[in-house]
């Protein structure tokens, strides 16, 4: 007779999904509140969202007893990658969400559904990074993506609808590719859990090579889309342009760190193969270089930042190619990039107007910032700090992230890759300094400096101040950040 399967709550280990449960419950509560209080101020939903995000972030530090322990029969794993990924996701959400508290009433933020979808999206990304089971990763990916498509469309502009549809179509292709990759990997190994797949592949070395490389091709397409790797990046500038600056900045950080962690888990299955290493080498070099060259000719600051974020993604993706010695550099780089990019997009957000004052198509052409030092000197100086940081100029924050990545590359014998990074860092300086030239050396087009701060409420000023301070004084906390990340990676 077959033994009766036992069900144990202890083995389920519910504590491991507390951060995600808080977000899901919070999203449902906001829907209920929104249906009951039809005319509630949007500040109520922002406050509720921040409370649930804060509770979720706080709960991470009570997961010490379940760190590295598999839960839900292998479907959830809170390891060091998951812990750091969750920390970046929730920290970014806590910093970006107050940007919705603008002085002007933008259409998308008047709906309570916006804030509920935002929490659902964060929960989806949280599940992505907290699992080594391919089905759970796929479910998290789709939960987050469907919410994000809707959030983009809620901006209620023609370009927003266009961006949402384009993102949806490309996202559907990405999801289908991921599903096919999972299917082929299952055929090759008989498992859906990455650790079990790894063991089978080691035992059956040399077998099922066709299935393995076919699954790799699908995973490269799927994750290449999520990470904006060239040539799967084409959606990025258009979607960023059609989204509001708040969502564009958020998309440049959170979906990518979730994608990096999933890529790190999956691609390590294939990296022992020398041909795969050459493929990834080419992907990294092209992704770092091509967007940098295209960014040189952009006339809109938001599109320039979109292309620059693709290049930054190439820098970070190189850590997966370099190997375990670069994993600390991956998380350090993205922590530092988070604050610099938060600041840059916040500056675009505070100067956002519903009317196209400077250009018929773009909201943020370079000409918009001409002579900003004369009309709004504080804004010009702060924006200059963020541009210098993103350019990787010392002593600003992203410089230390690039230094760590390049040091790891050199230490592991990737000398040519380090040279490519150095050359592209020099190229990037040009288009970041281009905005500084407009702000400091050209005459103002508009004399009214209040246009640049019309959305700058107190919460936005606080967020910009935090981003500016952390981008400027990274030299004082960089060593501490490195120690924290190193401890989280190797001792949790």
């Amino acid at each position: 007779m077959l033994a009766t399967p036992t069900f144990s709550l202890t083995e389920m280990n519910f504590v491991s999904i507390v951060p995600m449960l808080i977000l899901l419950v919070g999203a449902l509560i906001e829907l209920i509140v929104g249906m009951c209080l039809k005319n509630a101020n949007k500040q109520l939903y922002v406050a509720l969202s921040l409370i649930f995000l804060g509770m979720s972030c706080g709960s991470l530090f009570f997961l010490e007893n379940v760190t590295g322990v598999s839960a839900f029969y292998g479907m959830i794993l809170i390891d060091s990658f998951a812990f750091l990924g969750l920390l970046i996701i929730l920290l970014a959400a806590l910093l970006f969400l107050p940007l919705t508290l603008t002085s002007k009433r933008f259409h998308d933020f008047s709906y309570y559904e916006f804030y509920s979808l935002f929490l659902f999206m964060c929960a989806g990304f949280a599940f992505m990074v907290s699992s080594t089971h391919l089905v759970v990763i796929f479910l998290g990916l789709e939960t987050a993506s469907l919410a994000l498509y809707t959030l983009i469309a809620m901006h209620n502009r023609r370009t927003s609808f266009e961006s949402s549809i384009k993102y949806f179509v490309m996202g559907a292709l990405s999801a289908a590719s991921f599903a096919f990759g999972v299917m082929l990997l299952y055929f090759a190994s008989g498992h859906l859990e990455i650790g079990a797949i790894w063991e089978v592949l080691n035992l059956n070395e040399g077998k099922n090579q066709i299935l393995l490389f076919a699954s790799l091709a699908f995973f490269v397409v799927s994750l290449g889309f999520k990470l904006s790797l060239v040539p799967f990046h084409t959606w990025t500038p258009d979607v960023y342009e059609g989204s509001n600056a708040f969502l564009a900045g958020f998309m440049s950080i959170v979906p990518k760190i979730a994608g990096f962690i999933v890529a790190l888990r999956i691609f390590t299955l294939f990296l022992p193969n020398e041909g795969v290493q050459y493929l990834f080498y080419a992907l990294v070099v092209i992704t770092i270089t091509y967007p940098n060259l295209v960014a040189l000719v952009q006339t809109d600051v938001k599109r320039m930042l979109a292309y620059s974020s693709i290049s930054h993604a190439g820098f970070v993706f190189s850590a997966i190619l370099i190997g375990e010695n670069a994993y600390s550099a991956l998380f350090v780089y993205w922590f530092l990039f988070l604050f610099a990019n938060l600041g840059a997009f916040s500056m675009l957000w505070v100067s956002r107007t519903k009317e196209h004052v400077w250009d018929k198509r773009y909201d943020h052409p370079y000409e918009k910032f001409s002579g900003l030092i004369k009309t709004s000197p504080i804004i010009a100086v702060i924006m200059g700090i963020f541009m210098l940081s993103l350019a990787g100029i010392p002593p600003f924050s992203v410089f230390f992230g690039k230094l760590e990545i390049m040091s790891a590359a050199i230490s592991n014998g990737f000398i040519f890759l380090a040279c490519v990074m150095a050359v592209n860092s020099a190229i990037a300086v040009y288009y970041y300094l281009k905005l500084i030239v407009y702000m400091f050396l050209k005459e103002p087009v508009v004399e009214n400096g209040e246009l640049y701060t019309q959305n700058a409420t107190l919460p936005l000023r606080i967020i910009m101040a935090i981003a500016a301070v952390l981008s400027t004084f990274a030299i004082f906390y960089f060593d501490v950040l490195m120690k924290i990340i190193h401890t989280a990676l190797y001792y949790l």
Side-chain angles (χ1 to χ4, degrees):
M1 293 179 64
L2 293 174
T4 304
T6 58
F7 177 82
S8 171
L9 285 176
T10 304
E11 290 183 16
M12 295 295 283
N13 206 347
F14 277 96
V15 177
S16 62
I17 64 166
V18 165
M20 291 73 88
L21 280 178
I22 291 173
L23 296 176
L24 293 172
V25 170
L28 294 173
I29 288 174
E30 289 196 0
L31 285 175
I32 295 170
V33 171
M35 288 186 289
C36 296
L37 304 176
K38 295 293 185 181
N39 298 318
N41 192 294
K42 69 177 181 182
Q43 293 181 2
L44 170 64
Y45 302 111
V46 175
L48 285 174
S49 299
L50 290 174
I51 289 171
F52 289 119
L53 287 167
M55 290 171 59
S56 180
C57 191
S59 70
L60 292 178
F61 299 96
F62 294 95
L63 296 180
E64 183 178 353
N65 294 330
V66 299
T67 302
V69 178
S70 179
F72 286 82
Y73 302 102
M75 288 194 166
I76 299 294
L77 177 65
I78 304 295
D79 58 1
S80 55
F81 295 147
F83 178 82
L84 289 172
L86 286 168
L87 191 60
I88 293 176
I89 289 167
L90 295 171
L91 181 61
L94 283 166
L95 290 171
F96 273 97
L97 192 61
L99 300 184
T100 62
L101 294 172
T102 55
S103 56
K104 285 200 168 188
R105 188 177 178 85
F106 288 100
H107 178 83
D108 27 350
F109 305 137
S110 61
Y111 295 107
Y112 64 85
E113 294 92 343
F114 181 93
Y115 304 96
S116 182
L117 285 168
F118 187 81
L119 292 183
F120 277 125
M121 175 182 64
C122 292
F125 287 128
F127 275 111
M128 275 182 69
V129 303
S130 303
S131 179
T132 56
H133 196 280
L134 294 173
V135 171
V136 177
I137 292 172
F138 180 74
L139 291 174
L141 171 66
E142 285 306 286
T143 301
S145 297
L146 290 172
L148 189 52
Y149 304 148
T150 310
L151 290 173
I152 294 171
M154 288 176 74
H155 197 36
N156 198 33
R157 300 174 65 193
R158 181 186 59 80
T159 53
S160 300
F161 297 143
E162 179 184 335
S163 297
S164 181
I165 292 171
K166 183 176 292 187
Y167 196 28
F168 174 77
V169 172
M170 297 296 290
L173 175 63
S174 171
S177 298
F178 193 91
F180 274 105
V182 170
M183 177 187 68
L184 292 171
L185 202 53
Y186 179 73
F187 284 163
S189 65
H191 293 278
L192 290 170
E193 202 277 319
I194 293 174
I197 294 171
W198 178 262
E199 292 177 3
V200 171
L201 295 184
N202 282 339
L203 290 173
N204 300 331
E205 187 175 356
K207 297 181 180 179
N208 299 320
Q209 292 296 304
I210 295 176
L211 286 175
L212 288 175
F213 285 112
S215 68
L216 172 65
F218 282 113
F219 281 127
V220 168
V221 171
S222 177
L223 295 174
F225 166 81
K226 290 299 176 187
L227 298 175
S228 304
L229 302 180
V230 177
F232 312 106
H233 70 290
T234 51
W235 62 273
T236 309
D238 293 336
V239 172
Y240 280 32
E241 180 190 340
S243 308
N244 59 54
F246 153 71
L247 266 184
F250 189 81
M251 282 193 292
S252 69
I253 300 294
V254 172
K256 289 184 180 179
I257 189 61
F260 283 132
I261 292 174
V262 172
L264 194 151
R265 295 189 193 280
I266 293 176
F267 289 150
T268 48
L269 297 172
F270 304 95
L271 272 173
N273 184 282
E274 189 175 351
V276 175
Q277 293 177 20
Y278 284 124
L279 170 65
F280 283 10
Y281 208 127
L283 273 176
V284 169
V285 170
I286 296 170
T287 301
I288 293 174
T289 306
Y290 177 75
N292 256 348
L293 299 176
V294 178
L296 293 173
V297 297
Q298 296 304 305
T299 58
D300 179 70
V301 176
K302 193 194 285 188
R303 288 183 70 90
M304 178 271 286
L305 290 174
Y307 279 107
S308 77
S309 73
I310 300 171
S311 183
H312 284 289
F315 270 88
V316 177
F317 187 76
S318 68
I320 298 173
L321 169 67
I322 294 167
E324 188 175 353
N325 293 336
Y327 292 167
S328 293
L330 184 156
F331 288 103
V332 167
Y333 193 110
W334 215 244
F335 264 109
L336 298 174
F337 180 66
L338 161 63
F339 297 112
N341 227 35
L342 165 67
F345 280 96
S346 297
M347 300 304 293
L348 299 184
W349 187 229
V350 298
S351 62
R352 167 76 170 88
T353 60
K354 293 183 179 180
E355 302 79 19
H356 288 77
V357 179
W358 292 273
D359 190 273
K360 291 183 178 179
R361 173 181 171 180
Y362 298 124
D363 293 323
H364 308 286
Y366 279 95
E367 290 75 15
K368 174 180 180 177
F369 300 94
S370 294
L372 191 59
I373 190 64
K374 296 179 181 178
T375 57
S376 189
I378 295 177
I379 295 294
V381 171
I382 294 176
M383 189 65 165
I385 288 172
F386 296 134
M387 291 300 105
L388 293 172
S389 179
L390 289 170
I393 295 176
F396 299 98
S397 59
V398 178
F399 164 75
F400 296 100
K402 288 188 175 182
L403 190 63
E404 282 298 310
I405 290 283
M406 286 190 277
S407 297
I410 293 170
S411 299
N412 288 271
F414 292 88
I415 307 299
F416 176 74
L417 180 59
C419 293
V420 169
M421 291 177 177
V423 170
N424 277 280
S425 295
I427 294 172
V429 169
Y430 175 84
Y431 57 77
Y432 286 122
L433 289 183
K434 180 180 176 181
L435 179 59
I436 294 177
V437 168
Y438 268 87
M439 292 191 297
F440 286 82
L441 300 179
K442 291 187 178 289
E443 291 300 316
V445 176
V446 178
E447 296 295 336
N448 183 12
E450 293 182 0
L451 280 174
Y452 299 95
T453 58
Q454 57 185 326
N455 297 321
T457 55
L458 179 61
L460 271 73
R461 294 176 192 273
I462 293 173
I463 294 298
M464 289 188 293
I466 292 171
V469 169
L470 292 175
S471 296
T472 305
F473 300 106
I475 192 171
F476 296 108
Y477 66 83
F478 175 72
D479 288 338
V480 175
L481 179 63
M482 276 295 298
K483 289 178 182 177
I484 292 172
I485 290 176
H486 185 78
T487 301
L489 274 177
Y490 299 107
Y491 296 102
L492 276 182

